[in-house]
Amino acid sequence: MAFVWSKKSLVVAFMALSALTLPVKAQEQTFQIGTSSIGELKYKPGFKRFDYVNPDAPKGGTLNLSTTGTFDTFNPLLSKGELADGSPLVFETLTKSADDELLASYGLLAEGVSYPADFSSATFRLRAEAKWADGQPVTPEDVIFSLDKAKELNPLLSNYYKHVAKAEKTGDRDVTFTFDEKGNKELPNILGQLTILPKHWWEGMGADGKPRDIGKTTLEAPMGSGPYKIAAFTAGSTVRYELRDDYWGKDLNVNVGQNNFRNITYTFFGDRDVEFEAFRAGNVDYRQENQASRWATAYDFPAVKDGRVIREEVPNALRSVGIMQALTPNTRRDQFKDPRVREALNYAFDFEDLNKNLAYNAFKRIDSYFWGTELAASGLPQGRELEILQGMKDQVPPEVFTTPYTNPVAGDPQKLRDNLKTAIGLFKEAGYELKGNRMVNSKTGQPMSFEILLSNSSFERSVMPFANNLKKIGIEARLRTVDASQYTNRVRSFDYDMIWSIWGETMNPGNEQMDYWGSQAATQQGSRNYAGISNPAIDALIKMIIFAPNRDEQVAAIKAMDRVLLANHYVVPLFYSNNSRLAHWDRMAHPAELPEYSIGFPEVWWSKDAK
């Protein structure tokens, strides 16, 4: 989806494009206003606005938001440093997603896109009116600069745009991307999600009188083309964004009824409990609650009871997202290389007890890398999916063909004891034995122990029971919670035994799968192959997904890959909810119907204080 990582980052499409075109001369290329992965685009050329917005939403007021952690850079490109929240308010992409369609996007900086039938290239035509905040036009040179620097400086984006061989100016407002392989249908769309930066600004002189360096972090407020600018900040603590009166795209059809708050301020907290107290006190306007027990027990303060704080549970944002949230062992470490060891760890995780006693039965156990979507594998493979797996039979675990994946079930002392016995048996098969009260490697005598690295203390209450269960079978699992900067640096350099991970999947998985599970990404610091997966069968399946000639073939390959990932036990699946839990003070409002596939926050919300 995309990207520096954001709400719409990495949103990719299968590109079954409708024949909706912009008026062009007969001898020119045919440019389309948007792309859609499922049928025709909902909106036609000349549309006035998205249906889910309030076109009369007032502009004004202040939105106070909170986040945990800190920040030390405004450079949106790099994979180093802690980027300040709110970056998408300043910068823009070539296209913009429609939140009431699955995988559909329309022109933002670009007014259209054109490409040949074999998908060997794609040309974007920039809008003549698109301007940077200093009034200079957005140019093909800016787009080329943004792609080149993204591939050079960010491992995630390097993988994402790996098959884009070059970008070149092919007209006053045209930039053409040439691909190194034909048939990759998603490349035109994910190029539309590329964050575009002003070349002249980044190659100019900074406020300190020295040349800027896009390869370094910076706390100089950057210039963008987006609706907001950074008006003020306190390093690591707060950032205030202010709506630009001179924003070039404020009347654009894809922006009508959006960007309504005059000021948006982010305050950074080091502790989630302190952050919640700031919300209770009214110093923060909006909160998305991710702790089920807090949602069930802590929202009983007066402002909730008298209606000044509104609570909502909505499924919208999760309708098109597959989730894998898991404890992820680092298979680069010797103790996690054997899949039987990794499987044994899952038998020590008692989801049922945790869900009942800590989460008030608010969660469901994840059993797929595409959980919650039609892409999740279930039962035994059949049809084309089975044919694909049979073609690599010697490279995948045999249980892929014989045993549907299921997580162990506990929830009472006897079931947990049985699961722990199974775990001991798996460790024995992998060359371990219990000596006294320690699980040790039979050959080396090395005890089985590892550290679980966490980014926030709120995770400890979910992980501690897992560590206690492991202790019962002689395994020491140490919990270590570190600050945001240290956590980010350690994860980027793969300096951990086990971490808490989450991957979000769109309904059109594609190039990002290389970054998630591909062998090349396993050794590429900064990638999201947190588990260190290096598996030829998975590499082959990723390629099948990316170059699938049609949707049926793509879905079959996705489900086949899901099965192979699960059967190798690369993670200990955790849990998730099908609804987003929102709480906000009544100082703000949103359309009566939120967009089908998004909360629309803060884009389509507005302040009641605005006139």
Side-chain angles (χ1 to χ4, degrees):
M1 19 86 179
F3 179 102
V4 281
W5 180 267
S6 71
K7 175 174 77 73
K8 295 179 181 175
S9 69
L10 298 184
V11 175
V12 295
F14 188 70
M15 303 293 292
L17 299 168
S18 60
L20 301 179
T21 63
L22 296 167
V24 293
K25 296 179 181 179
Q27 68 270 25
E28 292 182 339
Q29 296 168 280
T30 297
F31 282 84
Q32 297 162 331
I33 67 166
T35 63
S36 173
S37 65
I38 302 176
E40 294 187 353
L41 287 168
K42 173 181 177 180
Y43 298 96
K44 311 305 179 186
F47 74 95
K48 302 299 183 183
R49 61 176 175 84
F50 292 136
D51 289 344
Y52 51 82
V53 305
N54 173 10
D56 300 317
K59 306 284 187 181
T62 295
L63 174 63
N64 293 308
L65 300 177
S66 66
T67 186
T68 55
T70 185
F71 71 93
D72 59 13
T73 185
F74 292 123
N75 186 337
L77 186 64
L78 301 184
S79 62
K80 60 184 178 181
E82 294 291 333
L83 179 65
D85 284 47
S87 177
L89 298 171
V90 175
F91 301 101
E92 293 182 305
T93 53
L94 294 170
T95 62
K96 184 172 184 175
S97 298
D99 289 343
D100 58 348
E101 296 179 77
L102 274 176
L103 306 172
S105 59
Y106 298 83
L108 182 55
L109 286 174
E111 64 182 22
V113 57
S114 176
Y115 47 85
D118 64 1
F119 293 93
S120 58
S121 66
T123 299
F124 288 83
R125 175 160 292 173
L126 298 174
R127 294 184 187 274
E129 65 271 33
K131 299 289 192 297
W132 298 108
D134 64 359
Q136 292 198 37
V138 179
T139 66
E141 288 83 1
D142 294 318
V143 178
I144 295 167
F145 171 80
S146 300
L147 176 71
D148 289 347
K149 291 301 179 181
K151 293 181 68 175
E152 174 189 344
L153 299 172
N154 190 307
L156 185 159
L157 297 174
S158 177
N159 283 331
Y160 202 47
Y161 297 114
K162 176 181 178 181
H163 294 292
V164 182
K166 65 177 179 178
E168 56 188 336
K169 182 177 179 179
T170 52
D172 290 343
R173 292 186 284 117
D174 293 354
V175 57
T176 296
F177 302 93
T178 302
F179 310 143
D180 63 3
E181 293 181 286
K182 298 178 181 179
N184 191 334
K185 299 177 178 63
E186 76 163 355
L187 280 177
N189 197 20
I190 66 173
L191 282 165
Q193 304 300 321
L194 176 69
T195 298
I196 308 302
L197 305 177
K199 180 181 180 182
H200 69 281
W201 190 89
W202 284 99
E203 292 185 344
M205 304 298 287
D208 58 2
K210 299 178 180 179
R212 297 187 180 97
D213 186 349
I214 197 170
K216 295 181 179 179
T217 60
T218 180
L219 283 174
E220 180 182 5
M223 183 180 71
S225 63
Y228 287 84
K229 64 181 179 180
I230 296 175
F233 69 91
T234 302
S237 179
T238 62
V239 185
R240 180 170 67 85
Y241 298 89
E242 183 179 286
L243 189 65
R244 291 173 46 209
D245 292 326
D246 60 350
Y247 171 47
W248 73 272
K250 60 184 176 182
D251 297 322
L252 206 61
N253 53 2
V254 295
N255 287 330
V256 170
Q258 304 186 54
N259 307 314
N260 300 316
F261 294 95
R262 170 60 59 179
N263 293 282
I264 299 178
T265 298
Y266 284 86
T267 300
F268 293 74
F269 291 88
D271 184 277
R272 288 183 185 269
D273 291 332
V274 175
E275 181 186 16
F276 177 65
E277 289 306 315
F279 173 76
R280 278 171 46 106
N283 297 323
V284 174
D285 295 320
Y286 171 91
R287 179 177 178 82
Q288 188 163 335
E289 184 59 68
N290 60 7
Q291 187 171 317
S293 60
R294 177 179 282 144
W295 184 255
T297 63
Y299 285 80
D300 58 353
F301 50 96
V304 174
K305 294 179 178 179
D306 63 25
R308 287 176 294 145
V309 167
I310 299 167
R311 299 206 305 163
E312 302 179 71
E313 292 191 44
V314 296
N316 304 49
L318 297 171
R319 286 172 176 157
S320 62
V321 180
I323 297 293
M324 170 52 81
Q325 182 167 242
L327 292 172
T328 305
N330 185 354
T331 63
R332 303 171 188 87
R333 301 282 203 257
D334 287 340
Q335 68 263 42
F336 297 129
K337 291 188 181 300
D338 194 309
R340 291 167 295 191
V341 167
R342 304 192 297 266
E343 182 181 6
L345 296 176
N346 198 12
Y347 278 92
F349 187 80
D350 189 343
F351 163 73
E352 288 73 21
D353 184 74
L354 180 151
N355 195 34
K356 176 183 178 181
N357 294 316
L358 296 182
Y360 294 81
N361 291 316
F363 292 127
K364 296 180 181 179
R365 187 82 191 271
I366 292 173
D367 58 2
S368 167
Y369 283 76
F370 301 88
W371 181 81
T373 74
E374 64 183 25
L375 302 178
S378 62
L380 291 174
Q382 298 179 8
R384 178 58 183 147
E385 183 186 350
L386 179 59
E387 291 177 4
I388 291 172
L389 291 167
Q390 287 174 332
M392 52 181 65
K393 190 171 185 179
D394 295 338
Q395 295 179 297
V396 303
E399 55 266 32
V400 163
F401 302 97
T402 61
T403 310
Y405 179 85
T406 57
N407 288 303
V409 176
D412 64 53
Q414 183 57 53
K415 289 179 180 177
L416 178 60
R417 282 193 294 269
D418 292 342
N419 286 346
L420 293 179
K421 288 179 182 178
T422 301
I424 292 172
L426 287 166
F427 272 108
K428 184 176 181 181
E429 292 176 17
Y432 287 83
E433 61 182 328
L434 275 172
K435 284 192 175 181
N437 60 351
R438 299 300 304 272
M439 183 72 71
V440 301
N441 187 297
S442 301
K443 292 182 178 179
T444 67
Q446 184 71 26
M448 182 65 179
S449 66
F450 57 89
E451 177 185 88
I452 304 176
L453 183 69
L454 301 173
S455 63
N456 197 287
S457 58
S458 65
F459 294 149
E460 294 175 2
R461 61 199 304 271
S462 296
V463 180
M464 184 59 74
F466 173 62
N468 289 338
N469 289 340
L470 289 171
K471 187 176 181 180
K472 294 175 183 177
I473 57 174
I475 298 171
E476 179 188 19
R478 305 174 302 279
L479 275 57
R480 185 179 183 188
T481 302
V482 298
D483 62 58
S485 296
Q486 184 178 355
Y487 183 82
T488 298
N489 290 333
R490 287 188 61 179
V491 170
R492 284 175 178 163
S493 60
F494 307 133
D495 180 21
Y496 52 83
D497 296 331
M498 177 180 283
I499 57 173
W500 182 305
S501 307
I502 184 167
W503 294 271
E505 296 280 7
T506 71
M507 294 298 288
N508 183 54
N511 287 271
E512 77 286 347
Q513 302 302 303
M514 293 186 292
D515 190 64
Y516 290 173
W517 334 113
S519 296
Q520 181 178 340
T523 58
Q524 192 170 32
Q525 291 193 3
S527 81
R528 285 168 294 168
N529 188 342
Y530 305 127
I533 298 169
S534 182
N535 186 314
I538 292 173
D539 290 339
L541 288 165
I542 291 173
K543 193 165 186 178
M544 289 183 188
I545 292 168
I546 293 173
F547 292 97
N550 54 61
R551 181 65 171 175
D552 288 344
E553 187 75 8
Q554 183 196 36
V555 171
I558 291 167
K559 291 186 175 182
M561 185 181 73
D562 191 24
R563 294 182 190 279
V564 177
L565 287 167
L566 291 167
N568 278 283
H569 304 286
Y570 289 119
V571 300
V572 177
L574 291 175
F575 42 79
Y576 218 76
S577 171
N578 292 116
N579 291 324
S580 299
R581 307 181 192 91
L582 314 179
H584 60 89
W585 286 80
D586 66 353
R587 298 186 287 264
M588 67 176 71
H590 62 69
E593 295 292 332
L594 291 172
E596 182 71 11
Y597 301 108
S598 171
I599 297 168
F601 183 85
E603 293 89 347
V604 305
W605 295 48
W606 64 89
S607 170
K608 290 183 178 179
D609 295 331
K611 304 298 182 181

